[in-house]
């Protein structure tokens, strides 16, 4: 079993800190992992959120349960992922989730959704997903494309292009484009 801990400091007046502790049993692709965290913890003991999750992955199948507590609301979530194609050149995963949000002094509501991710030769990929909140009659759709431009064991460069559309009874806009250029280097 491996155990990891992280701490980072925020750039706010209180010089608050974020802490995360995770424990993993098994190896990537076949493991059980638990994580606990606290965000924006001050010396006085105040914090923005605290929570944790447990995740399991085995032979292309995965699931996760999590909970978050904050001053404004509590949230519990469940997610599942399944690898439906895993060949030399093709990889396709499907995923689904449900999240229940319980705001203080307001009714609770559920958001659920799912999607599909496809990757060809770990170089070019596409994704599509949708999330729906019945209480607000709100639906969000996402489509995207990923291009792994460069990848070695110690560095990577990728370009992600996408578009998002929000729909509800009062307005339904078109797709809004987004882009992310990502560079990673391990030392």
């Amino acid at each position: 079993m491996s155990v990891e801990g992280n701490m980072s400091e925020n750039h706010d007046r209180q010089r608050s800190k974020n802490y995360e502790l995770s424990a993993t049993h098994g190896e990537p692709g076949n493991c059980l992992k638990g994580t606990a965290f606290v965000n924006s913890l001050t010396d006085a003991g105040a914090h923005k959120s605290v929570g944790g999750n447990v995740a399991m992955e085995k032979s292309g199948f995965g699931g996760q349960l999590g909970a978050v507590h904050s001053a404004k609301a509590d949230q519990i979530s469940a997610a599942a992922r399944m690898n439906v194609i895993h060949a030399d050149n093709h990889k396709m995963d499907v995923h689904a989730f449900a999240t229940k949000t319980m705001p203080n002094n307001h009714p609770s509501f559920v958001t659920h959704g799912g999607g599909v991710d496809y990757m060809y030769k770990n170089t070019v990929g596409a994704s599509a997903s949708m999330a729906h909140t019945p209480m607000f009659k709100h639906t969000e759709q996402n489509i995207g494309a990923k291009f792994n431009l460069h990848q070695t064991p110690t560095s990577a460069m990728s370009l992600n292009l996408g578009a998002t559309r929000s729909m509800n009874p009062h307005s339904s806009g078109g797709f809004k484009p987004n882009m992310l250029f990502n560079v990673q280097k391990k030392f």
Side-chain angles (χ1 to χ4, degrees):
M1 176 168 13
S2 67
V3 177
E4 293 181 23
N6 294 309
M7 189 279 291
S8 62
E9 191 169 313
N10 298 316
H11 299 285
D12 55 16
R13 289 184 198 176
Q14 297 89 9
R15 299 184 63 82
S16 64
K17 295 176 176 61
N18 305 311
Y19 295 94
E20 181 180 292
L21 181 65
S22 63
T24 305
H25 178 70
E27 65 268 350
N30 189 19
C31 66
L32 179 64
K33 182 176 183 176
T35 303
F37 66 88
V38 60
N39 290 326
S40 299
L41 181 66
T42 66
D43 290 338
H47 60 277
K48 282 191 179 174
S49 62
V50 61
N53 66 57
V54 62
M56 183 275 307
E57 186 174 4
K58 184 166 179 74
S59 304
F61 298 93
Q64 180 175 326
L65 296 172
V68 177
H69 169 73
S70 70
K72 295 180 180 181
D74 293 326
Q75 203 172 57
I76 56 173
S77 60
R81 180 188 59 79
M82 181 173 68
N83 179 248
V84 293
I85 298 174
H86 191 84
D88 290 339
N89 294 332
H90 306 278
K91 181 180 178 191
M92 185 165 47
D93 293 341
V94 293
H95 53 88
F97 76 92
T99 300
K100 183 172 184 175
T101 303
M102 298 156 285
N104 298 340
N105 305 319
H106 296 286
S108 298
F109 60 91
V110 175
T111 301
H112 57 273
V116 61
D117 300 308
Y118 171 77
M119 198 70 166
Y120 176 71
K121 289 189 176 183
N122 202 27
T123 306
V124 178
S127 62
S129 64
M130 185 168 55
H132 182 65
T133 307
M135 182 175 173
F136 304 120
K137 299 178 183 171
H138 180 264
T139 301
E140 185 167 304
Q141 298 173 330
N142 296 288
I143 55 173
K146 180 175 183 174
F147 304 94
N148 287 332
L149 306 172
H150 165 77
Q151 193 166 3
T152 68
T154 59
S155 64
M157 186 174 15
S158 64
L159 175 65
N160 295 300
L161 303 171
T164 301
R165 178 171 77 169
S166 291
M167 299 176 298
N168 61 56
H170 306 293
S171 67
S172 189
F175 279 96
K176 295 180 181 176
N178 57 65
M179 179 179 85
L180 172 67
F181 184 70
N182 189 23
V183 177
Q184 294 177 319
K185 176 68 178 164
K186 293 180 185 175
F187 296 97

